[in-house]
Amino acid sequence: GSSPMSVISWNCRGLGNPEAVRELRSGVKQEGPTLLFVMETKIRAARVENLKLTLSFEGCFAVNSVGLSGGIGLFWSKDVSVDLKKFSTCHIDAVVWKKDQSSFEWRFTGFYGASRVEERHHSWCFLRTLYAINHNAWVCMGDFNETLYGEEHFSRSPRPEGQMRAFREAINEYELQDLGWTGVPFTWDNRQAGGANVKARIDRAFANEAFRQQFGHTAVHHIS
């Protein structure tokens, strides 16, 4: 009965330049998302919040970048109410409900995984903390900076199995299921030529069983 909701998770690689903002704006215009989670803003939270009107959103909450790296933010449309719960430099956790059917709430976590391999176990420990918070329908999406399986990584040398196993074990333990994808198979490309080229599917969306029961027609599409 009610209109579908859509969520965009976007690694901006910097929102300080007008070109990046233009690209984001055209993507938002095209997709019309209910929620937009941005990562690697590389600017102060106040500057991210200033983009709310430019991007035609009702609300925004942003976390400062650390020096010249990181920085995340969440924008939302007028169709939903968003109750922010917890946040850090690598996540924003919120409860969302549609204003036209206020009875059903779902939990959204925008997640930005550690980019350095040696810090990745902190990301998975952190997921455990999030999992321990009482929740019903939960979707967790973002840039996890890791792949689950070898075929999600393309390069001259294979991705270390131990790294991926740690990620798989965490996801299984926290009762999350990958929502799959359509579109281009990889979400990151180092843009180098020939044998130096590396591609990987490091951005994804997970949901728990309650979310999948409630939103049976959920689909993930990789936007080029």
Side-chain angles (χ1 to χ4, degrees):
S2 69
S3 59
M5 287 182 287
S6 74
V7 181
I8 290 181
S9 167
W10 191 303
N11 190 321
C12 306
R13 297 180 179 83
L15 274 181
N17 61 341
E19 200 182 328
V21 174
R22 267 200 303 276
E23 191 181 344
L24 189 58
R25 195 177 171 189
S26 80
V28 164
K29 210 168 181 173
Q30 206 172 324
E31 303 292 329
T34 314
L35 297 181
L36 167 68
F37 176 58
V38 290
M39 297 157 283
E40 283 285 341
T41 60
K42 299 183 180 180
I43 52 175
R44 306 275 311 161
R47 281 189 68 196
V48 178
E49 288 172 2
N50 285 345
L51 294 171
K52 190 172 76 173
L53 296 175
T54 309
L55 298 171
S56 309
F57 283 106
E58 180 81 6
C60 173
F61 175 75
V63 182
N64 277 329
S65 60
V66 183
L68 285 175
S69 68
I72 56 175
L74 181 66
F75 295 87
W76 57 91
S77 76
K78 62 185 188 311
D79 305 330
V80 288
S81 294
V82 172
D83 180 12
L84 290 157
K85 293 295 185 189
K86 284 187 164 38
F87 66 91
S88 71
T89 52
C90 61
H91 90 295
I92 295 174
D93 198 31
V95 172
V96 183
W97 63 96
K98 282 195 88 165
K99 288 177 179 171
D100 63 2
Q101 32 159 186
S102 53
S103 58
F104 191 78
E105 296 181 345
W106 51 285
R107 179 186 184 190
F108 171 83
T109 303
F111 194 87
Y112 182 52
S115 52
R116 292 170 58 175
V117 174
E118 59 272 23
E119 291 172 4
R120 212 137 309 144
H121 66 279
H122 294 308
S123 291
W124 315 149
C125 287
F126 191 64
L127 270 179
R128 179 185 294 124
T129 309
L130 291 170
Y131 173 66
I133 298 168
N134 191 30
H135 60 275
N136 188 17
W138 182 28
V139 66
C140 179
M141 70 190 295
D143 179 351
F144 292 83
N145 269 311
E146 189 52 273
T147 60
L148 282 174
Y149 303 102
E151 62 266 24
E152 297 176 340
H153 176 95
F154 169 88
S155 77
R156 190 181 269 167
S157 51
R159 201 170 187 106
E161 178 56 36
Q163 255 171 247
M164 296 185 291
R165 192 185 313 117
F167 187 23
R168 284 199 298 272
E169 285 170 359
I171 295 310
N172 290 337
E173 191 184 332
Y174 315 139
E175 298 174 359
L176 290 167
Q177 291 165 296
D178 190 315
L179 290 172
W181 56 275
T182 59
V184 293
F186 303 108
T187 65
W188 179 80
D189 189 324
N190 71 351
R191 297 190 178 151
Q192 293 192 27
N197 185 230
V198 181
K199 298 181 179 76
R201 180 184 168 221
I202 53 176
D203 302 83
R204 59 215 307 149
F206 294 105
N208 68 350
E209 191 53 37
F211 185 93
R212 295 180 66 198
Q213 296 278 325
Q214 185 64 35
F215 301 103
H217 299 294
T218 305
V220 175
H221 184 63
H222 292 166
I223 308 168
S224 299

